[in-house]
Amino acid sequence: MKKILEVKNMSIDFIHKKTKINAVSKLSYELYENEVLGIVGESGCGKSISVMSLLGLLSSGASVEADHIQFKGRDINGLDVKALSKIRGQEIAIIFQEPMTSLNPLMTVGKQILEMYELHTDLSLKEALNETLEMMEKVGLKNVSSLYHAYPHELSGGMIQRIMIAMAMVCQPSILIADEPTTALDVTIQAQILNLMRALNQKSHTAILFISHDLGVIKEMCDRVMVMYLGYVVESGDVMAVLNAPYHPYTKGLLKSIPNPQKRHERLYSIPGRVPNMSDRPVGCPFCERCEKATEKCSAQLPELRELDKGHHVRCFYPEMASEMESL
Ligand SMILES: Nc1ncnc2c1ncn2[C@@H]1O[C@H](COP(=O)(O)OP(=O)(O)OP(=O)(O)O)[C@@H](O)[C@H]1O
Ligand SMILES: [Mg+2]
């Protein structure tokens, strides 16, 4: 499979009250054509900023450094806003959790899709209009000629997310970044949107970088997954390997805290302790303060991310295979 993105040693810092706070460290990964790569982890671990940084979408107080960010063989690390926005329009599309805020409330949804064609293709108005209606049908919207004239507030959350996906697909991007695209939707609509994204991925070979805090959704959607904790990837690999036979105590804790309908009477497990602030991140392993297995070495030294099985990487001195992980 062809590699389309390679991020090598990315770190992201924020300046806060004149001190530099490191929010993401040593982030390296590859994304291949046609694959869905998940990023999972608790709130604040750095999922969103890790992808926003690719497109220069972070606030001005942020600084991003990397050995390289290779997109289709070209280093896009440090490109200016104009060059990055060109890539964003045409090659890498992004959809967010709160789609409503990304749409113009004063323009009909159809016109907003049409504008994407006008901006990024050479089609005539008539052709662009036809393509717009066709794209609306492709993403599963009904009565598209009348829906074209609706304003965002007239649509449900699920319909809005379909409009966002339609806009993202106009330029047939090589990468679709989906940042918790279904968190705001109810469960049945969530399933429909996930199916739609999976279908688009299979039909158009668009690679997807898929962010979620929900391991069930990650399991449904992704081929590979990276588990993040406090700005570090702590485990990564094929989704089945990571979720069925995790090595890292944090991944195991995340899996254990998923409610199990068969054990409704039992208390829900939660990982002991709380996530520290980025500003008082331990010097050693980011998870050491909450880990039952931690030793002095863990608090003093950061473990490297190392490959234990083929393609399965773990950042832990004492990785342990889960003996009897219950499947999700
Ligand atoms: N503009 C900013 N200034 C300072 N710190 C920031 C800024 N944006 C993000 N951060 C910090 O970076 C860290 C990672 O944020 P990010 O939004 O990537 O988290 P996340 O994993 O996407 O969380 P969530 O699941 O809640 O969306 C957080 O600790 C946050 O406080
Ligand atoms: Mg986020």
Side-chain angles (χ1 to χ4, degrees):
M1 262 196 300
K2 221 162 114 190
K3 195 192 297 178
I4 36 179
L5 181 72
E6 182 178 282
V7 174
K8 187 90 188 147
N9 266 329
M10 180 193 269
S11 64
I12 304 172
D13 297 285
F14 291 102
I15 305 290
H16 187 65
K17 292 185 183 156
K18 292 194 180 157
T19 42
K20 206 166 159 177
I21 295 175
N22 178 245
V24 168
S25 296
K26 295 174 179 266
L27 178 64
S28 297
Y29 64 93
E30 294 165 357
L31 178 68
Y32 292 86
E33 206 173 67
N34 213 9
E35 84 167 337
V36 185
L37 173 63
I39 307 181
V40 71
E42 284 164 298
S43 184
C45 68
K47 304 181 295 295
S48 295
I49 58 171
S50 295
V51 295
M52 308 257 271
S53 55
L54 296 173
L55 295 167
L57 290 173
L58 293 178
S59 59
S60 55
S63 79
V64 179
E65 274 171 38
D67 292 351
H68 62 245
I69 304 173
Q70 216 127 40
F71 171 64
K72 289 186 170 171
R74 167 187 178 208
D75 194 358
I76 62 167
N77 185 21
L79 283 189
D80 62 22
V81 179
K82 204 172 151 208
L84 284 174
S85 71
K86 196 158 173 224
I87 293 176
R88 171 149 57 108
Q90 306 194 339
E91 306 252 32
I92 304 180
I94 182 160
I95 52 174
F96 298 101
Q97 178 178 345
E98 296 292 344
M100 208 53 133
T101 54
S102 320
L103 286 178
N104 178 348
L106 303 175
M107 193 189 278
T108 67
V109 291
K111 182 84 179 50
Q112 297 190 52
I113 303 174
L114 183 77
E115 271 202 339
M116 294 296 287
Y117 283 102
E118 289 178 328
L119 266 171
H120 298 294
T121 68
D122 299 324
L123 299 178
S124 69
L125 181 61
K126 190 159 172 266
E127 287 166 336
L129 199 56
N130 281 338
E131 291 286 329
T132 298
L133 296 175
E134 216 171 90
M135 184 56 93
M136 289 173 78
E137 277 175 353
K138 249 189 228 167
V139 296
L141 292 163
K142 304 266 156 30
N143 302 323
V144 294
S145 350
S146 66
L147 198 62
Y148 180 96
H149 300 286
Y151 286 89
H153 73 268
E154 298 175 88
L155 271 57
S156 68
M159 286 160 95
I160 290 281
Q161 202 52 294
R162 287 177 198 271
I163 298 285
M164 292 308 299
I165 294 173
M167 287 172 73
M169 296 309 288
V170 164
C171 298
Q172 296 172 314
S174 339
I175 303 177
L176 174 65
I177 297 175
D179 189 353
E180 310 241 14
T182 58
T183 311
L185 305 175
D186 59 44
V187 184
T188 41
I189 311 292
Q190 171 171 336
Q192 291 171 12
I193 299 288
L194 295 177
N195 285 336
L196 169 65
M197 289 180 52
R198 226 4 181 157
L200 289 173
N201 158 253
Q202 273 155 15
K203 258 190 223 151
S204 56
H205 308 296
T206 304
I208 301 181
L209 253 178
F210 187 88
I211 295 181
S212 178
H213 59 262
D214 184 333
L215 281 170
V217 170
I218 291 279
K219 190 179 181 188
E220 286 300 312
M221 280 298 289
C222 303
D223 303 305
R224 284 191 302 129
V225 64
M226 299 193 284
V227 182
M228 287 188 80
Y229 186 78
L230 268 186
Y232 286 100
V233 171
V234 294
E235 183 155 8
S236 67
D238 282 349
V239 104
M240 287 307 161
V242 173
L243 300 191
N244 291 342
Y247 282 113
H248 200 285
Y250 177 62
T251 315
K252 286 189 211 171
L254 272 185
L255 282 159
K256 250 170 97 178
S257 39
I258 298 174
N260 180 342
Q262 273 134 39
K263 295 189 178 169
R264 252 187 322 212
H265 52 283
E266 284 181 21
R267 262 189 84 196
L268 199 58
Y269 175 82
S270 70
I271 301 173
R274 56 170 196 88
V275 187
N277 277 331
M278 285 288 178
S279 48
D280 33 66
R281 199 158 58 164
V283 251
C285 169
F287 191 59
C288 69
E289 289 167 1
R290 301 174 76 189
C291 182
E292 288 167 6
K293 305 245 161 61
T295 63
E296 269 174 32
K297 184 178 178 185
C298 304
S299 13
Q301 205 181 322
L302 175 73
E304 287 299 321
L305 194 63
R306 57 197 170 110
E307 189 168 23
L308 291 190
D309 301 326
K310 196 172 179 308
H312 192 163
H313 292 78
V314 185
R315 191 186 289 286
C316 179
F317 290 124
Y318 310 107
E320 197 189 305
M321 185 78 141
S323 48
E324 42 178 68
M325 260 341 279
E326 288 156 40
S327 60
L328 283 172

Short mmCIF file of all heavy atoms in Angstrom, two decimals, residues 161-185:
data_model
loop_
_atom_site.label_atom_id
_atom_site.label_comp_id
_atom_site.label_asym_id
_atom_site.label_seq_id
_atom_site.Cartn_x
_atom_site.Cartn_y
_atom_site.Cartn_z
N GLN A 161 -24.19 16.82 9.48
CA GLN A 161 -22.92 16.11 9.36
C GLN A 161 -22.79 15.52 7.95
O GLN A 161 -21.69 15.47 7.39
CB GLN A 161 -22.81 15.05 10.46
CG GLN A 161 -21.41 14.59 10.80
CD GLN A 161 -20.42 15.70 11.13
OE1 GLN A 161 -20.07 16.50 10.28
NE2 GLN A 161 -19.96 15.74 12.38
N ARG A 162 -23.90 15.09 7.35
CA ARG A 162 -23.85 14.61 5.96
C ARG A 162 -23.45 15.74 5.01
O ARG A 162 -22.70 15.52 4.05
CB ARG A 162 -25.21 14.04 5.53
CG ARG A 162 -25.51 12.70 6.17
CD ARG A 162 -26.90 12.21 5.76
NE ARG A 162 -27.35 11.17 6.68
CZ ARG A 162 -27.11 9.86 6.52
NH1 ARG A 162 -26.45 9.44 5.46
NH2 ARG A 162 -27.53 8.99 7.40
N ILE A 163 -23.98 16.94 5.27
CA ILE A 163 -23.59 18.09 4.43
C ILE A 163 -22.08 18.34 4.55
O ILE A 163 -21.38 18.57 3.56
CB ILE A 163 -24.36 19.39 4.86
CG1 ILE A 163 -25.87 19.22 4.67
CG2 ILE A 163 -23.83 20.62 4.13
CD1 ILE A 163 -26.36 19.29 3.25
N MET A 164 -21.57 18.26 5.79
CA MET A 164 -20.13 18.48 6.00
C MET A 164 -19.30 17.44 5.25
O MET A 164 -18.27 17.74 4.67
CB MET A 164 -19.77 18.40 7.50
CG MET A 164 -20.31 19.52 8.36
SD MET A 164 -19.95 21.16 7.74
CE MET A 164 -18.17 21.15 7.76
N ILE A 165 -19.79 16.19 5.28
CA ILE A 165 -19.05 15.13 4.59
C ILE A 165 -19.09 15.38 3.07
O ILE A 165 -18.09 15.25 2.37
CB ILE A 165 -19.60 13.74 4.96
CG1 ILE A 165 -19.34 13.47 6.44
CG2 ILE A 165 -18.99 12.64 4.09
CD1 ILE A 165 -19.98 12.21 7.01
N ALA A 166 -20.27 15.82 2.58
CA ALA A 166 -20.39 16.13 1.16
C ALA A 166 -19.38 17.22 0.79
O ALA A 166 -18.66 17.12 -0.21
CB ALA A 166 -21.81 16.59 0.84
N MET A 167 -19.30 18.28 1.61
CA MET A 167 -18.36 19.38 1.32
C MET A 167 -16.92 18.87 1.33
O MET A 167 -16.09 19.27 0.52
CB MET A 167 -18.52 20.50 2.34
CG MET A 167 -19.80 21.29 2.11
SD MET A 167 -20.11 22.47 3.43
CE MET A 167 -18.89 23.71 3.08
N ALA A 168 -16.65 17.97 2.28
CA ALA A 168 -15.28 17.45 2.40
C ALA A 168 -14.91 16.59 1.19
O ALA A 168 -13.75 16.54 0.80
CB ALA A 168 -15.16 16.62 3.68
N MET A 169 -15.91 15.93 0.59
CA MET A 169 -15.60 14.99 -0.48
C MET A 169 -15.54 15.65 -1.86
O MET A 169 -15.15 15.00 -2.83
CB MET A 169 -16.62 13.84 -0.50
CG MET A 169 -16.63 12.95 0.74
SD MET A 169 -15.01 12.32 1.21
CE MET A 169 -14.72 11.12 -0.08
N VAL A 170 -15.94 16.92 -1.98
CA VAL A 170 -15.99 17.61 -3.27
C VAL A 170 -14.66 17.47 -4.03
O VAL A 170 -14.64 17.16 -5.21
CB VAL A 170 -16.35 19.10 -3.08
CG1 VAL A 170 -16.02 19.92 -4.31
CG2 VAL A 170 -17.83 19.23 -2.74
N CYS A 171 -13.57 17.69 -3.36
CA CYS A 171 -12.27 17.65 -4.05
C CYS A 171 -11.64 16.28 -4.06
O CYS A 171 -10.47 16.14 -4.39
CB CYS A 171 -11.30 18.63 -3.40
SG CYS A 171 -11.87 20.30 -3.50
N GLN A 172 -12.39 15.27 -3.70
CA GLN A 172 -11.86 13.91 -3.60
C GLN A 172 -10.51 13.92 -2.88
O GLN A 172 -9.47 13.60 -3.46
CB GLN A 172 -11.70 13.31 -4.99
CG GLN A 172 -13.05 13.16 -5.64
CD GLN A 172 -12.93 12.75 -7.09
OE1 GLN A 172 -12.14 13.29 -7.85
NE2 GLN A 172 -13.73 11.80 -7.49
N PRO A 173 -10.54 14.32 -1.61
CA PRO A 173 -9.28 14.45 -0.87
C PRO A 173 -8.60 13.10 -0.69
O PRO A 173 -9.25 12.06 -0.69
CB PRO A 173 -9.74 14.99 0.49
CG PRO A 173 -11.13 14.50 0.64
CD PRO A 173 -11.72 14.49 -0.75
N SER A 174 -7.28 13.13 -0.53
CA SER A 174 -6.57 11.87 -0.25
C SER A 174 -6.72 11.50 1.21
O SER A 174 -6.61 10.35 1.58
CB SER A 174 -5.09 11.95 -0.55
OG SER A 174 -4.79 12.95 -1.43
N ILE A 175 -6.91 12.54 2.06
CA ILE A 175 -7.07 12.26 3.49
C ILE A 175 -8.29 13.01 4.02
O ILE A 175 -8.47 14.19 3.74
CB ILE A 175 -5.83 12.73 4.30
CG1 ILE A 175 -4.55 12.06 3.79
CG2 ILE A 175 -6.01 12.45 5.79
CD1 ILE A 175 -3.28 12.52 4.49
N LEU A 176 -9.11 12.29 4.75
CA LEU A 176 -10.21 12.94 5.46
C LEU A 176 -9.90 12.84 6.95
O LEU A 176 -9.70 11.74 7.48
CB LEU A 176 -11.53 12.23 5.14
CG LEU A 176 -12.77 12.70 5.91
CD1 LEU A 176 -13.11 14.15 5.56
CD2 LEU A 176 -13.98 11.82 5.60
N ILE A 177 -9.83 13.99 7.60
CA ILE A 177 -9.62 13.98 9.05
C ILE A 177 -10.99 14.14 9.70
O ILE A 177 -11.72 15.09 9.39
CB ILE A 177 -8.71 15.15 9.48
CG1 ILE A 177 -7.31 14.99 8.87
CG2 ILE A 177 -8.61 15.21 11.00
CD1 ILE A 177 -6.37 16.15 9.14
N ALA A 178 -11.36 13.21 10.55
CA ALA A 178 -12.67 13.28 11.19
C ALA A 178 -12.45 13.35 12.70
O ALA A 178 -12.02 12.38 13.31
CB ALA A 178 -13.50 12.06 10.81
N ASP A 179 -12.68 14.53 13.26
CA ASP A 179 -12.42 14.74 14.69
C ASP A 179 -13.71 14.55 15.48
O ASP A 179 -14.55 15.43 15.51
CB ASP A 179 -11.83 16.14 14.90
CG ASP A 179 -11.33 16.33 16.34
OD1 ASP A 179 -11.56 15.45 17.19
OD2 ASP A 179 -10.73 17.38 16.60
N GLU A 180 -13.90 13.40 16.08
CA GLU A 180 -15.11 13.04 16.82
C GLU A 180 -16.37 13.41 16.03
O GLU A 180 -17.23 14.12 16.51
CB GLU A 180 -15.14 13.77 18.17
CG GLU A 180 -13.85 13.63 18.95
CD GLU A 180 -13.99 12.95 20.29
OE1 GLU A 180 -15.05 12.35 20.53
OE2 GLU A 180 -13.04 13.02 21.07
N PRO A 181 -16.48 12.90 14.80
CA PRO A 181 -17.55 13.37 13.92
C PRO A 181 -18.95 12.98 14.36
O PRO A 181 -19.92 13.54 13.87
CB PRO A 181 -17.22 12.71 12.58
CG PRO A 181 -16.48 11.48 12.95
CD PRO A 181 -15.69 11.82 14.18
N THR A 182 -19.07 12.02 15.27
CA THR A 182 -20.42 11.58 15.61
C THR A 182 -20.75 11.73 17.09
O THR A 182 -21.80 11.29 17.54
CB THR A 182 -20.61 10.09 15.22
OG1 THR A 182 -19.64 9.31 15.90
CG2 THR A 182 -20.47 9.88 13.74
N THR A 183 -19.85 12.35 17.83
CA THR A 183 -20.06 12.44 19.28
C THR A 183 -21.34 13.20 19.63
O THR A 183 -22.01 12.88 20.61
CB THR A 183 -18.84 13.13 19.93
OG1 THR A 183 -17.68 12.49 19.43
CG2 THR A 183 -18.87 13.01 21.44
N ALA A 184 -21.69 14.19 18.79
CA ALA A 184 -22.87 15.00 19.12
C ALA A 184 -24.18 14.37 18.62
O ALA A 184 -25.24 14.94 18.79
CB ALA A 184 -22.69 16.39 18.52
N LEU A 185 -24.09 13.19 18.02
CA LEU A 185 -25.30 12.60 17.42
C LEU A 185 -25.83 11.45 18.25
O LEU A 185 -25.07 10.80 18.98
CB LEU A 185 -24.97 12.07 16.02
CG LEU A 185 -24.34 13.08 15.06
CD1 LEU A 185 -23.95 12.38 13.76
CD2 LEU A 185 -25.30 14.23 14.78
#
